Amino acid sequence: MAEGLRERKKRQTRQYISDVATGLFVERGFDAVTVAEIAAAADVSVNTVYNYFPAKEDLFLDRSKGVVDRMSRWVRGRAPGESAATAVLRELREEIEAVSPRVGLMDGYSAFMRVVQAAPALRSRLWAIQQEVHDNLTATLREETGADDADPLPDLIAGQIGWIHSTVMAAIGRRMLDGGTPAAVSREMLDVLDDIEGLLSEKVLNYAVRDA
């Protein structure tokens, strides 16, 4: 019980520091805010901030760990008769139909995107996260299909599946920046998903089908 309480307090402290930092970044811009200012606003020491967030970028992109494994989780959880790509398409479609904040369909997402666009360090970190996502998905596809390390197909298919996700997320970001509402952008993105699926080859759509 005591260990659980300590862990909960740590999670709450981490979330509070991140929330304070995000508010400052949205108000003033990522580059204009220092870690020392964040620590002062959150009433903690600079060392405490770094204990929870090794880099300044982590304060803004604090949910990146869940993003890295998201598509791999979807692939591992695909239904019998479902391929890796169709599982990702289905999961994305369900998130979009639900107008889920997990895919950026929320009020305030445009402010998040404006901070990212204005900060080269954040854009660089997002690119690095995309590489982690790709590598993670490639490893998952190898495990799920039993492909050996010399087989290039898991890497190639991971690239195609990653393109699905990144294209949808980029489109959502652009529409929200243009002033779209979550509900309206949701409807648009369902059409985009249909277009994406129509562009995928049968080889991609039928890769890593789970046995019925």
Side-chain angles (χ1 to χ4, degrees):
M1 179 64 72
E3 180 66 24
L5 290 173
R6 284 198 297 271
E7 288 304 312
R8 184 173 67 181
K9 184 176 180 181
K10 286 170 63 176
R11 285 195 300 273
Q12 290 172 339
T13 300
R14 186 182 193 279
Q15 188 61 57
Y16 177 68
I17 295 170
S18 175
D19 289 346
V20 168
T22 298
L24 291 172
F25 293 146
V26 169
E27 178 184 351
R28 295 166 49 193
F30 182 78
D31 293 332
V33 178
T34 67
V35 173
E37 289 172 324
I38 293 165
D43 196 24
V44 298
S45 70
V46 170
N47 283 342
T48 297
V49 174
Y50 280 119
N51 284 340
Y52 286 99
F53 302 95
K56 182 181 171 184
E57 293 82 4
D58 298 325
L59 284 155
F60 194 67
L61 302 172
D62 61 312
R63 294 183 174 89
S64 62
K65 182 175 289 188
V67 172
V68 167
D69 192 45
R70 180 160 62 181
M71 282 192 290
S72 286
R73 293 197 308 270
W74 290 348
V75 168
R76 288 193 295 266
R78 68 196 185 284
E82 193 172 44
S83 73
T86 54
V88 170
L89 286 164
R90 174 181 53 76
E91 292 278 3
L92 274 174
R93 188 169 280 109
E94 290 175 0
E95 294 273 17
I96 291 168
E97 286 176 339
V99 195
S100 171
R102 288 188 294 267
V103 290
L105 294 171
M106 54 184 275
D107 294 328
Y109 191 63
S110 57
F112 173 89
M113 290 302 300
R114 279 192 289 271
V115 174
V116 171
Q117 285 194 335
L122 288 176
R123 296 199 304 274
S124 178
R125 174 58 66 86
L126 283 173
W127 181 87
I129 290 170
Q130 289 177 348
Q131 291 299 116
E132 288 184 61
V133 170
H134 176 87
D135 293 343
N136 190 292
L137 184 55
T138 298
T140 297
L141 290 172
R142 288 196 189 282
E143 292 170 7
E144 292 292 309
T145 62
D148 62 42
D149 292 343
D151 187 347
L153 208 49
D155 184 61
L156 297 174
I157 298 294
Q160 293 289 296
I161 295 175
W163 169 76
I164 297 170
H165 187 269
S166 62
T167 298
V168 169
M169 294 304 298
I172 289 172
R174 287 193 299 271
R175 301 294 199 282
M176 296 298 288
L177 277 170
D178 289 341
T181 65
V185 175
S186 169
R187 292 190 295 271
E188 290 180 54
M189 289 305 103
L190 291 173
D191 291 335
V192 169
L193 267 180
D194 289 339
D195 291 339
I196 287 173
E197 187 167 2
L199 292 171
L200 295 171
S201 72
E202 289 299 311
K203 191 166 189 175
V204 173
L205 290 170
N206 292 314
Y207 186 80
V209 174
R210 171 152 285 161
D211 291 338

